[in-house]
Amino acid sequence: MAERLHDDYLHFRAAGMSLVLDCTGGLLPRVVHWGADLGDLTRDALAFLALTEAAQVMSCSLDEPVPVSVLPQQSAGWLGTAGLTGHRNGEDFSTSFSVRSVRSVRPGAGEGPVAHRLTVDAVDGQAELALALEIEVTTSGLVRQRATLTNESDRPYTVDGLLLTLPVPGQATELLDLTGRHLRERSPQRHQFTLGTHLRENWRGRTGIDATLVHVAGESGFGFRTGEVWGLHVAWSGNHRSLAERTPAGVSLLGGGESLLPGEVRLAAGECYTSPWIYGSYGHGLDELAGRFHGYLRDRAHHPRSPRPVTLNTWEAVYFQHDVSKLKALADAAAEVGAERFVLDDGWFQGRRNDTAGLGDWYVDKDVWPDGLHPLVDHVHALGMQFGLWFEPEMVNPDSDLARAHPEWIMATGGRTPPTARNQQVLDLGHPEAYAYLLERLDALVTEYRIGYIKWDHNRDLVEAGHSPRGTAGVHAQTAAVYRLIDELRVRHTGLEIESCSSGGGRIDLGILERTDRVWTSDCIDALERQQIQRWTGLLLPPELLGTHVASPVAHTTGRAHTLDFRAGTALFGHFGIEWDLTLASAEERARLAEWVSAYKRLRPLLHSGTVVRADHPDPALWLHGVVAPDRSRAVYALVQTATSVQSPPGRVRLPGLDPDAVYRLSPLPPGNSPEGPTGYALPWWQGDKVELAGRVLGTAGIQAPALYPERMVLVEARRV
Ligand code: DGJ
């Protein structure tokens, strides 16, 4: 590990990305360049780069140029969204930090996912505040930063907001962000990056079912494979914001931070506030941008590396109808098709016969389970599967012993109780006793039942989330407390895996993923909807972190019917599972499902380590996505007909991501190799000899796609010869 002190220009390079920082003049760092690799640059070249970036002073503006630092300050002349907002009873509302030290460290190879680390210590003597900035570049080429603000005065300082930014060049003229709702997370929306601020702010007290995950600015018409793109992610599971701001002075930037409720962070003497990590990813095309997130996640020491077990989840199979013999039969059927993990969902604890009661009473229901969960757990273990259990720790039904005993543990303010959502309220983890109760319950149950996996749910937005007795705002403390709770549980139970679920994909961010092992991508398991939800969640997360299940023939949330091949082929590109009452499935269906399970087991080493690729195909009804092995020796592609096409036959599709100079043999991949389509005529290459072509040809000219019925897909494998 090499450590150096600087007050100069810094150039960090990783995986084809350059970040150039101007740390001169005792000012907070300014980003001179964030984007494509600039190559090896001398100190003089970096100084010239900074000089040529500096603009002239124009009429009707300040008489000095306005340096925009990663934490933009009004004292420097910045009149856009401020980096730090806060005050001491109305005073010290504006800051001017001077840098005391700049330290850069280059961790050695193999020392985790960080390639370069910069720490900047600054102080504002007048405002009596200290600021520590951490700016890191990961080996995958992400930039991430966070700030710690310390109150160095005896008088309290209230933090209203802390925003960290990264500039993007003027070429970024389009924005992409994601929105959505329950059962339809991650719907993309695109617009011009016009002058002004495009703000995505979330006050839901959880990451949000509509969270953008990544806020992207890019060149006009950018796609998965084309156009330069810059994206920002806020790694925080509570209130947060991200913005894209463009000023008439030619500054364009992306920014992000936690959104704080009034009075939520009030620093007494010596206390500090640390912002969440704010991530920036640059790419030539969205695939590269996503690949940097995937690479970073995979480089973490605690990234799940064991083969992702085929999971049967009981929710859509039985809902609240818990019956031991039925569940044992389901476990038998699960084991028969090759499942490796069995997860008992909602409905097992005291008084929980439906969603109106029981949340908070984390004791096994004696009426339904007179012998506890042991008969089922033992059965599952005897079948060679791991046992997992559902919890929703932060929630409480007013109709529960817990709520009756501790009404003061329910988050509220103003002497009123917030409106319920799914008949529930939020348990205030800011109360040490409530926190201790949950830790004890979770710990005891995990120990007693040798639970290997928790599905950790969170099914409502936080409304008026006050902390009793005074009703002070408590979302920040709640978010920090749930992180602590999960961390503590993981320390006590090495190897315990946790899924982050929140009405489906309502808590997906890199903050929760520091301490969980996958997400429940959506409550909607309709394969057609899942194609789009998984595609866009994949902007942040690699396939192995996405819970993807095969549901019943008719989707419970949309009423659409899909073939088993379409359902399973869609679930293949994630952490594969089943959420279907297999005791009702026919022998043929189970046999076919078992084939898909075997295919998943064969393919998971590739699917969970490779590079995710998506073609920019002109026909909006034909999607092609796939995963290419890290050494590009092999790839699996899915050709998905999402609707009927205007054109028929479909035409050529490109197979992206292959080594241009290598030759690949193409073959339709069973069990997803039978095109069911509107013509009885065979596609020549599909039926004929195995095609062998260079990656350059396959990625440029492409191959004729088979004509498919809508809502069908096929798989194609490319193997280097
Ligand atoms: C919402 C989750 O997203 C579902 O998968 C299921 O676990 C239910 N909650 C149970 O209440």
Side-chain angles (χ1 to χ4, degrees), residues 356-397:
T356 62
L359 279 178
D361 295 342
W362 301 109
Y363 296 89
V364 177
D365 190 279
K366 291 222 167 52
D367 293 339
V368 182
W369 303 90
D371 301 314
L373 298 176
H374 290 292
L376 179 66
V377 174
D378 293 347
H379 190 73
V380 165
H381 285 159
L383 289 166
M385 292 186 289
Q386 188 190 57
F387 182 73
L389 195 60
W390 179 95
F391 288 91
E392 195 178 0
E394 297 134 276
M395 297 294 158
V396 56
N397 284 121

Side-chain angles (χ1 to χ4, degrees), residues 315 320 345-346 352 390 422 455 457 459 501 503-504 520 523 579:
W315 181 240
F320 290 106
D345 209 287
D346 195 357
R352 187 68 167 176
W390 179 95
R422 206 189 188 210
K455 176 174 178 180
D457 210 340
N459 282 310
C501 171
S503 324
W520 182 224
D523 271 356
E579 199 158 326

